[in-house]
C-alpha cells in the first residue's frame, strides 16, 4: 500500500508540473490535453449542479471557484492514486 501511495503521488505531482509548465505557452496538442484535464471534470460537475465554475467574462473561459479547485485536486489525486495502486498490483503479480 505504501508503494501504491508513492506511485500515485509521483504521478499526481508530474501532472501538476506539466500543467504548470504549459501555462501561458502554446505547445499545440499537449497544451490542449492538459487544459482539458482541468475543464472536463469541472464541466461535468457543473452539469450536475455543483458551482465549480465562476462567471465567464465575455468570450472567455470561466475561472474555477475555490470549490472547483478543491474538487479538481481531489479528483486527480484520487484518480492517480487508483492508477498507482493498479500499477503496483500488476508489478507485484509480475514478480
Amino acid at each position: 500500500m505504501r508503494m501504491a501511495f508513492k506511485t500515485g503521488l509521483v504521478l499526481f505531482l508530474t501532472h501538476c508540473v506539466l500543467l504548470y509548465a504549459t501555462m501561458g505557452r502554446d505547445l499545440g496538442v499537449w497544451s490542449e490535453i492538459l487544459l482539458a484535464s482541468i475543464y472536463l471534470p469541472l464541466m461535468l460537475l457543473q452539469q450536475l449542479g455543483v458551482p465549480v465554475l465562476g462567471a465567464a467574462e465575455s468570450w472567455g473561459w470561466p475561472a474555477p471557484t475555490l470549490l472547483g479547485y478543491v474538487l479538481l485536486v481531489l479528483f486527480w489525486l484520487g484518480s492517480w492514486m487508483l492508477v498507482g495502486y493498479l500499477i503496483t498490483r500488476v508489478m507485484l503479480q509480475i514478480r
Side-chain angles (χ1 to χ4, degrees):
M1 189 63 167
R2 176 177 259 172
M3 188 59 140
F5 178 78
K6 287 180 183 179
T7 305
L9 191 60
V10 166
L11 291 170
F12 174 72
L13 292 175
T14 302
H15 188 180
C16 291
V17 167
L18 288 173
L19 278 172
Y20 183 74
T22 60
M23 285 186 178
R25 295 187 182 130
D26 184 23
L27 301 176
V29 170
W30 291 107
S31 296
E32 293 174 14
I33 290 170
L34 288 168
L35 291 175
S37 74
I38 293 174
Y39 279 100
L40 286 179
L42 291 179
M43 286 183 179
L44 291 174
L45 289 171
Q46 184 77 22
Q47 291 299 317
L48 293 174
V50 181
V52 292
L53 295 174
E57 296 181 18
S58 61
W59 300 100
W61 286 88
T65 61
L66 181 60
L67 177 65
Y69 282 118
V70 169
L71 291 177
L72 186 67
V73 167
L74 290 175
F75 171 78
W76 282 114
L77 187 61
S79 298
W80 288 122
M81 289 296 167
L82 179 63
V83 170
Y85 174 75
L86 293 173
I87 288 172
T88 55
R89 291 282 295 189
V90 168
M91 296 304 285
L92 289 174
Q93 294 295 327
I94 291 174
R95 273 198 223 173

